[in-house]
Amino acid sequence: MCGIVGIISSKEVTGRILNSLKKLEYRGYDSAGIATLVEGNINEVKCEGRVEVLEKDITKFNLKGDIGIGHVRWATHGKPSKINAHPHSSEHVSVVHNGIIENSTILKKFLEKKGYEFKSQTDTEVIAHLVTEYLKKNSIKDTIIKVLKRLHGSFALGIIFKGQSNLMVGAKRGSPLAVGYGPNENYIGSDSYALKSMTNKISYLDDGEFCIIKKDQIEFFGTEGTKINKKVMNLSKDAIDYDKGDYKYFMEKEIDEQPSTITACINEYIDKHNKQINIYNFPWKISSIESVMLIGCGTAFHSCLMAKYWMEQNTNLDVSVDIASEFRYRKVKFKKNCLYIVVSQSGETADTHAALDLCKRNKMKTCAVVNVIESSIARDADLVLPIYCGQEVGVASTKAFIGQMLVLYILSTKISFDQKCISRKEYQAKVDNLLKLSNAAKKTLKLDQKIFNVGKTFADAKGSMFLGRGYSFPIALEGALKLKELAYVHAEGYPAGEMKHGPLALIEEGMPVVVLAPRDEHYKKTISNMQEVIARGAKVLLITNNNKDEVISENIWEKIEVDQLDDELIPFLMTIPLQKLAFYSALEKGYDIDKPRNLAKSVTVE
Ligand code: M6R
């Protein structure tokens, strides 16, 4: 999604804006641009494509300045092109925007009648002209108050003004905006990561707020222009130096990091000595919770679905799951003793945030399972359970999925024991099993060569299916999502038992199908479903856990065996070969693994 940076300083800023834009590349984008003020005049350089292209153009045009704004754009209104790239400038102002202006068509008509001419197809250009129009009769502060009131939809904005080299404006509604404090210079950025090389002192704007930033002063205002104070946060330094190390791709590194991220997370939540789970900050009586609603998008939704299986198995809770973009618009009947859990790696996903907001407005108990602890979702939920994965850069979520599942499993086990659904002995056995997980994940990573070999078949396929029952069903959905987003191969995740109700018609000679069949209560049934697809010509990659005594079928194309572990924890191990499968399929096709086409890491528009 779009990313914003702004710097006001007494030193040259273009190089640092470029560096910060590089930090925002992980969000996914298709064009980039920078505008600075040189002797009070607006100068901009924009391009379609990557920040490296922008960098070359900036050198070519020798763009300089002590104040500037930069942007990476993920197209919403208007195709990716130089003309649609941000900043969008009028003669008097230059604007960068993340979000969507829903009433841009109406505003455009209003401005066209006043004689403004539009160059781009974007919704953002209206902001530049609207600000210009209001500036005719108002101060900068009053202009911003009036303009923000006219904008419908979501935005994070950075604005610079012709002839005003001493100030820059930031504003937010819906999309995130961080404000950073530096030595005789100050910054804005879409997230703290963009600013971390310059400062670890950050404030976050809340919805409706704006700020006027000078190099030695930042003033914050509410919707009506009343001055407000903001909390300054000191950020941890842990993510500052996150890089690829010896890896070619972040995703590859992030997959391989999973045994250590599992350990890091377990160390935070498990008291190994007393074999118990510590969630110290739980603000409610666990016994008072009667139901749980889990909400997320994409991979996070899959971890929610996984948690439903665990919670139903181990607690008396009534458990529901929903996709955030559906939940937020349904006529949900909120329940007093329900815990609403939102799951999000970035903590900035617009739909998930809106779902959380809806729960809060209905005065519900809210919990956020997030990776980025400084994120908007983490700041707004009553209870935050971090997944402790460290920064995830690859657009395809891998270690965060494992981390989300882990935290949700830990929470489910804690509720199960506290609500007396399992004995202390069973509880401690579950904790013991969790302590074996990191090692088992390490062993699973070694199955690499086999997956590499099958990757080519999946890469070349027209379509593929991922089947599983019970705990393996959410993992089948996740495996299919990974293949779709990385290798651009049509892939469907399906409950194995549903095949004969329709999708079996899709199976044809040579179609690669992944069957997830751990040796749990569903094993025999899943193997029967596997035989049904083999009989219709499918090439089956069976993923199971090892059992030396049994030969399952000679008609299986390939078999991968993960370690033996408690049935409930097998989903963690089953996930790893599927991540690798998608990775190798994309590698085979030479695709941009860390930044798949059309996708963004942080989905800040709905
Ligand atoms: O940051 P979030 O966890 O809220 O993101 C949700 C989805 O956008 C994300 O999981 C997406 O589906 C990934 N690209 C999947 O790999």
Side-chain angles (χ1 to χ4, degrees):
M1 278 304 103
C2 302
I4 289 176
V5 184
I7 307 179
I8 179 161
S9 176
S10 42
K11 291 182 285 186
E12 165 57 33
V13 293
T14 45
R16 287 181 297 148
I17 293 178
L18 277 169
N19 281 342
S20 293
L21 289 180
K22 285 180 190 161
K23 300 272 178 208
L24 290 171
E25 285 190 292
Y26 77 94
R27 297 160 76 92
Y29 70 103
D30 43 57
S31 52
I34 294 187
T36 60
L37 292 181
V38 181
E39 289 167 5
N41 293 315
I42 296 167
N43 282 267
E44 55 174 43
V45 176
K46 313 201 277 189
C47 71
E48 189 181 339
R50 299 283 178 214
V51 176
E52 295 96 80
V53 181
L54 183 70
E55 195 163 13
K56 283 188 191 135
D57 289 353
I58 280 179
T59 316
K60 194 162 101 196
F61 295 111
N62 196 21
L63 185 73
K64 296 259 181 263
D66 297 346
I67 168 172
I69 46 178
H71 191 267
V72 282
R73 173 176 186 253
W74 186 83
T76 58
H77 290 55
K79 63 180 180 164
S81 67
K82 184 172 171 177
I83 206 105
N84 287 334
H86 298 212
H88 287 283
S89 307
S90 69
E91 204 192 316
H92 298 279
V93 300
S94 187
V95 178
V96 285
H97 167 219
N98 171 16
I100 292 178
I101 304 304
E102 289 168 358
N103 59 339
S104 61
T105 318
I106 299 169
L107 291 174
K108 191 173 173 186
K109 277 192 190 132
F110 161 79
L111 290 160
E112 276 171 341
K113 274 193 200 144
K114 291 195 168 286
Y116 289 92
E117 282 176 20
F118 284 77
K119 290 178 263 184
S120 75
Q121 291 114 42
T122 65
D123 51 338
T124 305
E125 201 178 345
V126 296
I127 305 173
H129 294 314
L130 206 56
V131 172
T132 307
E133 176 61 20
Y134 278 99
L135 274 175
K136 286 179 184 165
K137 292 191 184 145
N138 297 280
S139 66
I140 288 184
K141 184 181 159 192
D142 289 343
T143 294
I144 298 302
I145 296 169
K146 289 187 169 134
V147 167
L148 298 188
K149 283 189 180 163
R150 292 207 62 177
L151 302 179
H152 297 174
S154 63
F155 52 78
L157 299 174
I159 311 175
I160 54 174
F161 304 82
K162 182 179 174 177
Q164 297 282 351
S165 303
N166 62 336
L167 67 86
M168 172 170 84
V169 163
K172 171 205 153 63
R173 187 197 302 151
S175 307
L177 194 70
V179 179
Y181 305 79
N184 205 26
E185 58 182 30
N186 290 308
Y187 327 94
I188 53 169
S190 283
D191 58 30
S192 60
Y193 184 59
L195 307 181
K196 265 185 170 165
S197 61
M198 299 180 285
T199 182
N200 70 337
K201 287 199 178 346
I202 300 277
S203 293
Y204 288 97
L205 288 190
D206 287 314
D207 281 348
E209 294 175 354
F210 69 95
C211 55
I212 297 180
I213 304 182
K214 299 183 175 162
K215 62 183 183 220
D216 50 3
Q217 182 196 31
I218 305 179
E219 288 181 296
F220 295 96
F221 304 95
T223 319
E224 301 301 332
T226 324
K227 243 178 147 176
I228 50 171
N229 292 321
K230 299 294 294 180
K231 211 167 90 189
V232 183
M233 298 165 76
N234 277 308
L235 301 178
S236 59
K237 290 201 187 287
D238 56 350
I240 297 177
D241 297 324
Y242 189 71
D243 60 27
K244 281 190 261 202
D246 292 337
Y247 289 85
K248 193 155 177 223
Y249 301 101
F250 275 109
M251 183 195 178
E252 193 181 13
K253 181 171 189 242
E254 285 158 5
I255 293 173
D256 281 358
E257 275 173 358
Q258 292 177 121
S260 46
T261 57
I262 290 171
T263 305
C265 186
I266 283 181
N267 286 344
E268 293 291 336
Y269 288 105
I270 290 189
D271 170 353
K272 291 182 194 156
H273 182 66
N274 294 308
K275 291 199 179 148
Q276 67 181 30
I277 292 166
N278 292 329
I279 300 180
Y280 296 114
N281 50 348
F282 208 85
W284 315 280
K285 264 184 134 178
I286 286 197
S287 55
S288 68
I289 295 175
E290 289 165 6
S291 58
V292 164
M293 167 62 89
L294 295 133
I295 308 159
C297 299
T299 288
F301 168 71
H302 296 154
S303 67
C304 293
L305 193 56
M306 194 67 237
K308 176 179 167 75
Y309 282 80
W310 286 321
M311 288 184 178
E312 283 179 350
Q313 180 69 29
N314 292 319
T315 71
N316 290 327
L317 298 171
D318 173 13
V319 189
S320 315
V321 182
D322 212 341
I323 291 173
S325 54
E326 292 297 314
F327 176 87
R328 64 181 289 195
Y329 292 115
R330 290 213 332 273
K331 232 181 143 201
V332 174
K333 308 289 173 294
F334 285 97
K335 293 185 268 179
K336 202 167 136 241
N337 291 327
C338 181
L339 175 60
Y340 291 81
I341 304 178
V342 292
V343 180
S344 173
Q345 187 284 130
S346 61
E348 300 294 353
T349 300
D351 285 316
T352 313
H353 195 201
L356 170 66
D357 206 41
L358 184 64
C359 297
K360 291 204 61 130
R361 274 188 274 124
N362 283 278
K363 304 200 174 5
M364 294 294 112
K365 302 177 176 68
T366 57
C367 165
V369 174
V370 292
N371 196 24
V372 183
I373 50 171
E374 298 115 14
S375 60
S376 311
I377 288 178
R379 280 180 280 127
D380 288 352
D382 299 326
L383 168 67
V384 181
L385 299 178
I387 61 173
Y388 298 107
C389 281
Q391 200 193 351
E392 187 181 69
V393 177
V395 165
S397 191
T398 52
K399 61 177 179 175
F401 179 58
I402 294 285
Q404 288 159 356
M405 289 200 295
L406 190 53
V407 168
L408 291 169
Y409 181 80
I410 288 170
L411 179 64
S412 152
T413 307
K414 166 109 180 118
I415 296 177
S416 170
F417 179 64
D418 286 7
Q419 293 197 336
K420 302 194 173 37
C421 302
I422 52 170
S423 66
R424 177 165 290 277
K425 205 168 152 208
E426 288 168 311
Y427 175 51
Q428 293 190 329
K430 283 182 193 294
V431 171
D432 268 338
N433 286 330
L434 270 174
L435 298 177
K436 295 179 195 149
L437 184 59
S438 169
N439 227 1
K442 208 178 274 169
K443 282 199 209 159
T444 312
L445 285 169
K446 294 196 178 126
L447 302 169
D448 212 41
Q449 189 58 43
K450 259 198 172 172
I451 307 163
F452 178 78
N453 295 342
V454 295
K456 186 171 172 10
T457 303
F458 279 86
D460 293 341
K462 263 199 316 207
S464 64
M465 301 211 71
F466 289 67
L467 310 179
R469 282 171 180 258
Y471 296 143
S472 298
F473 169 52
I475 306 302
L477 291 179
E478 175 61 8
L481 177 62
K482 290 283 96 85
L483 191 69
K484 274 183 253 201
E485 67 177 333
L486 288 165
Y488 319 151
V489 170
H490 182 75
E492 280 209 58
Y494 238 86
E498 260 301 282
M499 285 299 283
K500 49 177 91 60
H501 301 289
L504 204 53
L506 291 172
I507 304 290
E508 52 187 40
E509 201 58 44
M511 182 189 206
V513 173
V514 176
V515 176
L516 303 173
R519 289 162 204 272
D520 58 15
E521 56 173 323
H522 303 288
Y523 178 64
K524 290 201 172 124
K525 301 244 182 279
T526 312
I527 293 297
S528 302
N529 299 138
M530 178 185 76
Q531 295 301 353
E532 288 157 9
V533 295
I534 291 177
R536 283 153 184 89
K539 273 176 109 167
V540 165
L541 165 64
L542 171 66
I543 307 186
T544 181
N545 42 353
N546 53 34
N547 179 340
K548 294 191 180 66
D549 309 329
E550 197 189 352
V551 180
I552 304 161
S553 162
E554 285 176 359
N555 299 322
I556 296 164
W557 169 51
E558 272 299 350
K559 184 166 75 171
I560 288 171
E561 291 179 321
V562 301
D563 220 9
Q564 279 290 14
L565 211 59
D566 189 65
D567 287 353
E568 290 181 351
L569 300 183
I570 291 293
F572 291 94
L573 304 187
M574 293 265 156
T575 300
I576 295 171
L578 301 184
Q579 296 169 337
K580 291 249 174 184
L581 178 66
F583 174 77
Y584 285 129
S585 305
L587 194 67
E588 171 70 29
K589 289 170 128 171
Y591 289 163
D592 192 346
I593 290 179
D594 287 333
K595 299 184 203 97
R597 72 179 178 203
N598 304 338
L599 300 179
K601 183 68 183 162
S602 193
V603 184
T604 49
V605 294
E606 63 171 296

